[in-house]
Amino acid sequence: MTADPGDAVDWRRPSPLLLRARRIQVGITAIPLAFIGGLAAQTVSAWLGIGIAIVVIVVAVATERFLARRVAAWGYAERHQDLMIRRGVLVRRQSVIPYGRMQFIDVTAGPIERSLGLATLRMHTAAAASDARIPGLHRDVAAALRDQLAALGEAQATGL
Amino acid sequence: MTSLTAGTWHRLHPLSPLVRAGRQFTAVVIVLFTIALANQRQERGDLIGDIVVVVVVLAGGVVSWLVTRWQVADGVLRIDTGLVRRDSRRFPLSQVQAIDVVQTGLARVLGLAELRLRVVGGDASRGARLACLSVADAKRVRQQLLTMAGTTAPAAAAPAAASLSDPGRDATVAVAARELFRVRPERLAVAVLLSPTGAVTAVTIAVIAAIAAAGLPGVASSLTAVALGAVLGTWRQFNSEYGTAVAAGPDGLQLRSGLVQTAAETIRPGRVQGVRLVEPLLWRAFGWCRVEVDVAGPSQRGENRTQARRLRALVPVGTRREAEDMITELLGARPVPSLRPPRRARWKAPLSYHFLGFGADDRYVVAARGRICRQTTWVPLEKVQSVRWVQGPLQRRLTLTSVHLDVAGRRVSASIEDRDAAEAADLFGRLPDLARAARARSA
């Protein structure tokens, strides 16, 4: 049993489509890699080529098993004065970012995210170490959250 | 002589191309020197080639001097430059925050100085730069520009702008300043040699000397470049910290330092984001330590990346007592890192367990870490930007957790490492509220 300050928090989660986005990402790296690696190695011996392709595929499948847990680990909670974000399976992290400290908020979407209607929300504070982001939000949710955070940030803004 | 009648065009000092090309010029001279040493039977053609490079660099500088001119008219400083692509920049004097007089090494020899104007709300690249004027001119022009700018910060320049420093001002208020610290040159020399940079340099030179002694001068000479780099790094640290003097003035701490290139800066009390006490292994034998501060605000123009990443050293090297006095001056009453982590943290941090600890009151949080280089960081709660709770796999086994408090700027954070998980959860729950309370108090 570990004392986890997040236990009492009512977490909201990214869209379930995030898992699919992550799977596609693994797929489009692993399959060409297996193919090219296999082709390159088969110039030495056909079995080596098949072996390498299989290893790459096995690693990809193992990553895929892990993905579900990683995606499930993401969560955020809008509290009264600050935003709380958690992530990570092996190294677990939780951050608290006061609304007043947010300098600007980005919504970005890569090609895979865009095709699934997802977006990543990124919050910037004056500290480089803060690194607060929420991936895999539905596009409308991300936009609404961005506007809401911006309004809260403006209301509670403080100087450096 | 330069006088600022409205609308007259002025030129920079005729020797300025030499100063502006100074850096490249020195580099070329060093390269020439090394080549000449390494290869005594050098072809004459190569040497001519090198001289051509120097001439071209200088000629470029002269052309740029010829086409650069500046004027002040209607409260606007205008700088025109460029031969092929004309570039005309205007700086409304009402937006000027501070005007610095900066002298690089070569400029000091030639009696020249550079004027740098810092402009409201911009990053440093948007500031104006007049390089170079003669020292007397620079001072007078600065005074006149400041008078035209109305000296006080305009209302539009509110909080962010008010945090910009005005190094040049310390000349006028030097009388009122109370000196807090002055570094002892011989101690700084020893300390720099014993610092990590210095130690690496010493080892490098020793290795090269050993190789040369072992009868492999060829290998040794090819390593000379490495040694040269290390020596330069050490020298740069010594150069920038030589003569560091801190005085308490009416608007903050006045920091002056530098041997060849001098710099002056005013640190306002409200700008300090974090204070760090550093005690490297070799210094602890002498009871020496170092006090650095992290200051918010844009990095100055002309700072290279390493300088920008380094924190300002208020006490480059001093006794424990001097350091304590300086920290008291900065923070006043403060907590000490007296709360130790649980014993089982030894398994996770076998070396640094020795110094780990933290402390907190309603204004500051302090955290200590590091075994070889012990670092104690104080962070004002009102400056905290975000709070992070981190638990790695090994920590989870031992039911330990770390909590980090991030402040603005160059990656300074107070890391409360390896606390008991329940205690960390409690801290993580309370720190954001404590920070909010501190912010509300200071506002």
Side-chain angles (χ1 to χ4, degrees):
Chain A
M1 132 85 211
T2 57
D4 186 334
D7 286 344
V9 178
D10 181 20
W11 294 107
R12 295 178 62 184
R13 306 200 178 253
S15 157
L17 286 172
L18 176 60
L19 182 56
R20 194 185 294 170
R22 291 283 195 255
R23 281 190 176 136
I24 296 174
Q25 272 169 357
V26 170
I28 60 176
T29 359
I31 293 169
L33 198 68
F35 193 69
I36 294 166
L39 272 186
Q42 68 87 35
T43 57
V44 182
S45 110
W47 287 111
L48 186 66
I50 293 169
I52 284 189
I54 289 175
V55 167
V56 172
I57 297 293
V58 166
V59 168
V61 169
T63 317
E64 197 274 329
R65 305 304 307 170
F66 193 61
L67 274 184
R69 291 178 60 197
R70 277 190 56 177
V71 166
W74 280 100
Y76 66 98
E78 294 160 74
R79 303 198 303 179
H80 188 51
Q81 310 256 25
D82 42 38
L83 182 77
M84 202 166 169
I85 298 175
R86 69 160 188 198
R87 67 187 174 105
V89 174
L90 211 55
V91 178
R92 296 199 294 156
R93 299 165 200 274
Q94 292 178 17
S95 320
V96 168
I97 305 116
Y99 295 129
R101 290 302 197 192
M102 291 177 195
Q103 292 193 316
F104 61 98
I105 301 160
D106 280 348
V107 176
T108 55
I112 298 171
E113 280 190 314
R114 209 158 47 224
S115 69
L116 293 170
L118 297 179
T120 298
L121 195 69
R122 204 181 278 273
M123 281 132 294
H124 299 264
T125 69
S130 292
D131 179 41
R133 62 198 164 95
I134 314 171
L137 292 173
H138 191 271
R139 202 182 290 149
D140 301 334
V141 176
L145 192 57
R146 175 196 58 199
D147 295 342
Q148 193 187 340
L149 292 178
L152 283 167
E154 206 163 309
Q156 299 183 13
T158 44
L160 287 179
Chain B
M1 291 302 264
T2 320
S3 68
L4 288 183
T5 8
T8 344
W9 286 99
H10 304 285
R11 280 194 191 292
L12 300 169
H13 195 279
L15 283 177
S16 38
L18 208 59
V19 177
R20 296 186 77 157
R23 195 160 280 204
Q24 288 90 327
F25 188 70
T26 332
V28 168
V29 168
I30 289 175
V31 167
L32 276 181
F33 189 69
T34 7
I35 290 174
L37 267 189
N39 186 3
Q40 266 124 9
R41 283 169 305 189
Q42 196 187 16
E43 301 289 324
R44 190 164 293 167
D46 287 358
L47 194 62
I48 290 171
D50 291 325
I51 291 169
V52 166
V53 170
V54 176
V55 169
V56 166
V57 168
L58 272 182
V62 171
V63 169
S64 133
W65 172 76
L66 276 174
V67 298
T68 304
R69 48 186 198 156
W70 58 278
Q71 67 159 194
V72 180
D74 306 327
V76 175
L77 170 69
R78 188 173 150 194
I79 304 175
D80 281 9
T81 186
L83 175 65
V84 181
R85 199 176 130 261
R86 294 294 296 178
D87 181 15
S88 173
R89 304 177 72 188
R90 285 147 194 282
F91 303 92
L93 289 177
S94 60
Q95 292 198 9
V96 169
Q97 264 310 295
I99 305 178
D100 305 349
V101 180
V102 181
Q103 281 189 297
T104 53
L106 195 52
R108 268 171 85 180
V109 174
L110 298 172
L112 300 181
E114 183 180 330
L115 272 189
R116 290 180 191 169
L117 280 72
R118 287 199 245 163
V119 182
V120 170
D123 57 318
S125 62
R126 280 179 49 202
R129 201 173 167 201
L130 289 175
C132 302
L133 307 169
S134 76
V135 177
D137 274 356
K139 282 185 179 155
R140 210 181 48 253
V141 170
R142 171 174 183 277
Q143 209 48 54
Q144 283 171 331
L145 288 180
L146 277 178
T147 324
M148 286 187 203
T151 40
T152 46
S163 68
L164 289 173
S165 65
D166 182 1
R169 197 187 293 165
D170 58 17
T172 49
V173 292
V175 192
R178 169 172 57 95
E179 181 159 296
L180 296 171
F181 174 78
R182 183 176 288 276
V183 72
R184 303 228 310 253
E186 69 280 3
R187 185 186 285 166
L188 180 68
V190 176
V192 166
L193 287 181
L194 292 179
S195 75
T197 345
V200 167
T201 310
V203 169
T204 317
I205 291 173
V207 166
I208 290 171
I211 292 175
L216 295 166
V219 182
S221 70
S222 66
L223 286 174
T224 318
V226 181
L228 206 65
V231 169
L232 276 181
T234 316
W235 164 250
R236 207 171 292 142
Q237 191 181 346
F238 181 73
N239 179 21
S240 68
E241 287 171 359
Y242 179 87
T244 298
V246 184
D251 51 357
L253 292 181
Q254 289 158 7
L255 170 66
R256 245 175 301 179
S257 64
L259 177 61
V260 179
Q261 172 162 10
T262 53
E265 188 176 4
T266 304
I267 295 172
R268 287 162 206 264
R271 283 176 68 204
V272 172
Q273 306 278 321
V275 177
R276 181 174 274 176
L277 176 72
V278 186
E279 295 160 276
L281 180 67
L282 289 173
W283 291 15
R284 289 205 291 268
F286 299 89
W288 292 347
C289 44
R290 176 183 170 89
V291 177
E292 298 171 338
V293 291
D294 185 23
V295 175
S299 59
Q300 289 177 26
R301 196 188 178 118
E303 273 185 332
N304 61 33
R305 213 177 295 159
T306 18
Q307 282 169 322
R309 221 184 299 133
R310 205 181 296 148
L311 307 171
R312 303 274 195 288
L314 286 187
V315 177
V317 56
T319 60
R320 182 84 198 189
R321 203 189 141 69
E322 285 170 325
E324 296 281 346
D325 288 349
M326 182 59 72
I327 299 173
T328 310
E329 184 68 31
L330 286 164
L331 304 178
R334 61 189 184 278
V336 289
S338 55
L339 296 170
R340 306 275 299 139
R343 286 193 79 83
R344 59 183 188 281
R346 247 177 227 280
W347 296 104
K348 193 257 171 178
L351 285 178
S352 66
Y353 175 79
H354 190 71
F355 289 129
L356 280 187
F358 96 103
D361 61 13
D362 58 345
R363 288 167 67 211
Y364 301 105
V365 169
V366 58
R369 60 187 297 198
R371 184 69 179 91
I372 292 166
C373 191
R374 180 186 187 182
Q375 298 185 352
T376 316
T377 312
W378 283 267
V379 166
L381 274 167
E382 58 179 284
K383 303 288 184 197
V384 169
Q385 296 282 333
S386 62
V387 186
R388 284 177 297 137
W389 174 99
V390 181
Q391 188 178 54
L394 187 57
Q395 287 180 314
R396 190 149 51 245
R397 281 277 180 83
L398 299 165
T399 56
L400 295 171
T401 309
S402 302
V403 174
H404 305 267
L405 289 122
D406 306 316
V407 292
R410 300 158 187 175
R411 297 183 175 278
V412 170
S413 49
S415 302
I416 307 173
E417 299 275 6
D418 301 328
R419 311 305 300 187
D420 180 70
E423 186 193 0
D426 175 51
L427 269 175
F428 185 63
R430 281 191 303 126
L431 281 172
D433 296 327
L434 284 173
R436 193 176 312 119
R439 269 205 301 281
R441 257 205 316 281
S442 73

mmCIF file of all heavy atoms in Angstrom, chain B residues 340-341 345-346 348-357 368-372 417-418:
data_model
loop_
_atom_site.group_PDB
_atom_site.id
_atom_site.type_symbol
_atom_site.label_atom_id
_atom_site.label_comp_id
_atom_site.label_asym_id
_atom_site.label_seq_id
_atom_site.Cartn_x
_atom_site.Cartn_y
_atom_site.Cartn_z
ATOM 1 N N ARG B 340 15.110 15.056 8.539
ATOM 2 C CA ARG B 340 15.829 13.996 7.828
ATOM 3 C C ARG B 340 14.846 13.016 7.194
ATOM 4 O O ARG B 340 13.752 12.800 7.722
ATOM 5 C CB ARG B 340 16.727 13.257 8.814
ATOM 6 C CG ARG B 340 17.655 14.164 9.580
ATOM 7 C CD ARG B 340 18.912 14.447 8.799
ATOM 8 N NE ARG B 340 19.648 13.225 8.527
ATOM 9 C CZ ARG B 340 20.240 12.978 7.359
ATOM 10 N NH1 ARG B 340 20.150 13.836 6.376
ATOM 11 N NH2 ARG B 340 20.902 11.869 7.166
ATOM 12 N N PRO B 341 15.249 12.403 6.083
ATOM 13 C CA PRO B 341 14.379 11.357 5.500
ATOM 14 C C PRO B 341 14.464 10.089 6.343
ATOM 15 O O PRO B 341 15.395 9.949 7.150
ATOM 16 C CB PRO B 341 14.998 11.141 4.119
ATOM 17 C CG PRO B 341 16.410 11.575 4.250
ATOM 18 C CD PRO B 341 16.455 12.633 5.293
ATOM 19 N N ALA B 345 15.771 5.326 3.251
ATOM 20 C CA ALA B 345 16.152 6.080 2.060
ATOM 21 C C ALA B 345 17.600 5.789 1.673
ATOM 22 O O ALA B 345 18.012 6.020 0.545
ATOM 23 C CB ALA B 345 15.955 7.575 2.285
ATOM 24 N N ARG B 346 18.388 5.272 2.635
ATOM 25 C CA ARG B 346 19.755 4.845 2.336
ATOM 26 C C ARG B 346 19.828 3.895 1.152
ATOM 27 O O ARG B 346 20.776 3.905 0.391
ATOM 28 C CB ARG B 346 20.298 4.084 3.531
ATOM 29 C CG ARG B 346 21.407 4.750 4.254
ATOM 30 C CD ARG B 346 21.746 3.883 5.452
ATOM 31 N NE ARG B 346 21.858 4.697 6.648
ATOM 32 C CZ ARG B 346 22.935 5.399 6.949
ATOM 33 N NH1 ARG B 346 23.967 5.385 6.154
ATOM 34 N NH2 ARG B 346 22.973 6.125 8.039
ATOM 35 N N LYS B 348 17.930 3.774 -1.403
ATOM 36 C CA LYS B 348 17.670 4.434 -2.679
ATOM 37 C C LYS B 348 18.769 5.447 -2.978
ATOM 38 O O LYS B 348 19.162 5.625 -4.118
ATOM 39 C CB LYS B 348 16.285 5.120 -2.627
ATOM 40 C CG LYS B 348 15.783 5.574 -3.971
ATOM 41 C CD LYS B 348 15.961 7.056 -4.097
ATOM 42 C CE LYS B 348 15.689 7.541 -5.506
ATOM 43 N NZ LYS B 348 15.830 8.987 -5.571
ATOM 44 N N ALA B 349 19.270 6.122 -1.981
ATOM 45 C CA ALA B 349 20.281 7.157 -2.191
ATOM 46 C C ALA B 349 21.443 6.918 -1.247
ATOM 47 O O ALA B 349 21.618 7.645 -0.272
ATOM 48 C CB ALA B 349 19.667 8.541 -1.958
ATOM 49 N N PRO B 350 22.253 5.883 -1.497
ATOM 50 C CA PRO B 350 23.285 5.504 -0.540
ATOM 51 C C PRO B 350 24.294 6.627 -0.292
ATOM 52 O O PRO B 350 24.764 6.783 0.827
ATOM 53 C CB PRO B 350 23.958 4.299 -1.186
ATOM 54 C CG PRO B 350 23.502 4.265 -2.590
ATOM 55 C CD PRO B 350 22.233 5.018 -2.680
ATOM 56 N N LEU B 351 24.619 7.410 -1.330
ATOM 57 C CA LEU B 351 25.615 8.464 -1.147
ATOM 58 C C LEU B 351 24.992 9.727 -0.581
ATOM 59 O O LEU B 351 25.407 10.244 0.447
ATOM 60 C CB LEU B 351 26.286 8.786 -2.483
ATOM 61 C CG LEU B 351 27.297 7.764 -2.978
ATOM 62 C CD1 LEU B 351 27.840 8.184 -4.320
ATOM 63 C CD2 LEU B 351 28.430 7.619 -1.969
ATOM 64 N N SER B 352 23.958 10.217 -1.238
ATOM 65 C CA SER B 352 23.462 11.538 -0.864
ATOM 66 C C SER B 352 22.607 11.499 0.390
ATOM 67 O O SER B 352 22.248 12.537 0.923
ATOM 68 C CB SER B 352 22.694 12.170 -2.022
ATOM 69 O OG SER B 352 21.537 11.439 -2.288
ATOM 70 N N TYR B 353 22.297 10.290 0.902
ATOM 71 C CA TYR B 353 21.508 10.206 2.131
ATOM 72 C C TYR B 353 22.122 11.059 3.229
ATOM 73 O O TYR B 353 21.432 11.682 4.017
ATOM 74 C CB TYR B 353 21.429 8.750 2.611
ATOM 75 C CG TYR B 353 20.734 8.603 3.931
ATOM 76 C CD1 TYR B 353 19.351 8.627 4.018
ATOM 77 C CD2 TYR B 353 21.460 8.492 5.112
ATOM 78 C CE1 TYR B 353 18.710 8.541 5.220
ATOM 79 C CE2 TYR B 353 20.831 8.400 6.334
ATOM 80 C CZ TYR B 353 19.449 8.425 6.391
ATOM 81 O OH TYR B 353 18.805 8.341 7.590
ATOM 82 N N HIS B 354 23.449 11.106 3.226
ATOM 83 C CA HIS B 354 24.200 11.823 4.244
ATOM 84 C C HIS B 354 23.719 13.261 4.436
ATOM 85 O O HIS B 354 23.708 13.767 5.540
ATOM 86 C CB HIS B 354 25.676 11.810 3.842
ATOM 87 C CG HIS B 354 26.581 12.311 4.909
ATOM 88 N ND1 HIS B 354 26.840 11.606 6.047
ATOM 89 C CD2 HIS B 354 27.268 13.467 5.013
ATOM 90 C CE1 HIS B 354 27.669 12.293 6.810
ATOM 91 N NE2 HIS B 354 27.948 13.424 6.206
ATOM 92 N N PHE B 355 23.379 13.938 3.340
ATOM 93 C CA PHE B 355 23.017 15.351 3.437
ATOM 94 C C PHE B 355 21.535 15.622 3.215
ATOM 95 O O PHE B 355 21.093 16.750 3.346
ATOM 96 C CB PHE B 355 23.806 16.178 2.421
ATOM 97 C CG PHE B 355 25.257 16.313 2.755
ATOM 98 C CD1 PHE B 355 26.224 16.030 1.813
ATOM 99 C CD2 PHE B 355 25.651 16.731 4.023
ATOM 100 C CE1 PHE B 355 27.571 16.158 2.122
ATOM 101 C CE2 PHE B 355 26.990 16.864 4.329
ATOM 102 C CZ PHE B 355 27.955 16.572 3.380
ATOM 103 N N LEU B 356 20.771 14.601 2.813
ATOM 104 C CA LEU B 356 19.365 14.842 2.476
ATOM 105 C C LEU B 356 18.605 15.449 3.646
ATOM 106 O O LEU B 356 18.848 15.101 4.793
ATOM 107 C CB LEU B 356 18.679 13.533 2.081
ATOM 108 C CG LEU B 356 18.900 13.002 0.674
ATOM 109 C CD1 LEU B 356 18.006 11.797 0.455
ATOM 110 C CD2 LEU B 356 18.625 14.060 -0.356
ATOM 111 N N GLY B 357 17.691 16.342 3.315
ATOM 112 C CA GLY B 357 16.877 16.919 4.364
ATOM 113 C C GLY B 357 16.089 18.083 3.826
ATOM 114 O O GLY B 357 16.375 18.590 2.735
ATOM 115 N N ALA B 368 18.009 20.099 0.854
ATOM 116 C CA ALA B 368 19.431 19.820 0.657
ATOM 117 C C ALA B 368 19.586 18.480 -0.032
ATOM 118 O O ALA B 368 18.807 17.559 0.194
ATOM 119 C CB ALA B 368 20.148 19.809 1.999
ATOM 120 N N ARG B 369 20.591 18.371 -0.900
ATOM 121 C CA ARG B 369 20.853 17.122 -1.602
ATOM 122 C C ARG B 369 22.281 17.122 -2.112
ATOM 123 O O ARG B 369 22.961 18.136 -2.066
ATOM 124 C CB ARG B 369 19.872 16.969 -2.774
ATOM 125 C CG ARG B 369 20.001 18.096 -3.773
ATOM 126 C CD ARG B 369 18.932 18.044 -4.818
ATOM 127 N NE ARG B 369 19.046 16.829 -5.592
ATOM 128 C CZ ARG B 369 18.471 16.682 -6.777
ATOM 129 N NH1 ARG B 369 17.756 17.649 -7.303
ATOM 130 N NH2 ARG B 369 18.603 15.559 -7.438
ATOM 131 N N GLY B 370 22.714 15.985 -2.634
ATOM 132 C CA GLY B 370 24.045 15.890 -3.236
ATOM 133 C C GLY B 370 25.081 15.442 -2.244
ATOM 134 O O GLY B 370 25.057 15.852 -1.092
ATOM 135 N N ARG B 371 25.993 14.551 -2.654
ATOM 136 C CA ARG B 371 27.027 14.071 -1.737
ATOM 137 C C ARG B 371 28.367 14.712 -2.086
ATOM 138 O O ARG B 371 29.019 15.318 -1.252
ATOM 139 C CB ARG B 371 27.153 12.537 -1.844
ATOM 140 C CG ARG B 371 28.124 11.946 -0.866
ATOM 141 C CD ARG B 371 27.560 12.070 0.545
ATOM 142 N NE ARG B 371 28.449 11.503 1.553
ATOM 143 C CZ ARG B 371 29.381 12.186 2.199
ATOM 144 N NH1 ARG B 371 29.582 13.448 1.903
ATOM 145 N NH2 ARG B 371 30.124 11.618 3.113
ATOM 146 N N ILE B 372 28.755 14.605 -3.365
ATOM 147 C CA ILE B 372 30.036 15.175 -3.785
ATOM 148 C C ILE B 372 29.928 16.683 -3.830
ATOM 149 O O ILE B 372 30.798 17.405 -3.392
ATOM 150 C CB ILE B 372 30.450 14.590 -5.141
ATOM 151 C CG1 ILE B 372 30.786 13.114 -4.952
ATOM 152 C CG2 ILE B 372 31.628 15.336 -5.729
ATOM 153 C CD1 ILE B 372 30.890 12.330 -6.205
ATOM 154 N N GLU B 417 13.718 15.209 -1.437
ATOM 155 C CA GLU B 417 13.894 13.841 -1.932
ATOM 156 C C GLU B 417 13.577 12.814 -0.855
ATOM 157 O O GLU B 417 13.899 13.004 0.327
ATOM 158 C CB GLU B 417 15.348 13.632 -2.393
ATOM 159 C CG GLU B 417 15.791 14.533 -3.526
ATOM 160 C CD GLU B 417 15.433 13.999 -4.892
ATOM 161 O OE1 GLU B 417 14.737 12.965 -4.972
ATOM 162 O OE2 GLU B 417 15.842 14.617 -5.889
ATOM 163 N N ASP B 418 12.984 11.709 -1.290
ATOM 164 C CA ASP B 418 12.890 10.488 -0.504
ATOM 165 C C ASP B 418 12.262 10.672 0.872
ATOM 166 O O ASP B 418 12.863 10.331 1.893
ATOM 167 C CB ASP B 418 14.290 9.853 -0.360
ATOM 168 C CG ASP B 418 14.882 9.546 -1.710
ATOM 169 O OD1 ASP B 418 14.099 9.238 -2.629
ATOM 170 O OD2 ASP B 418 16.108 9.630 -1.871
#
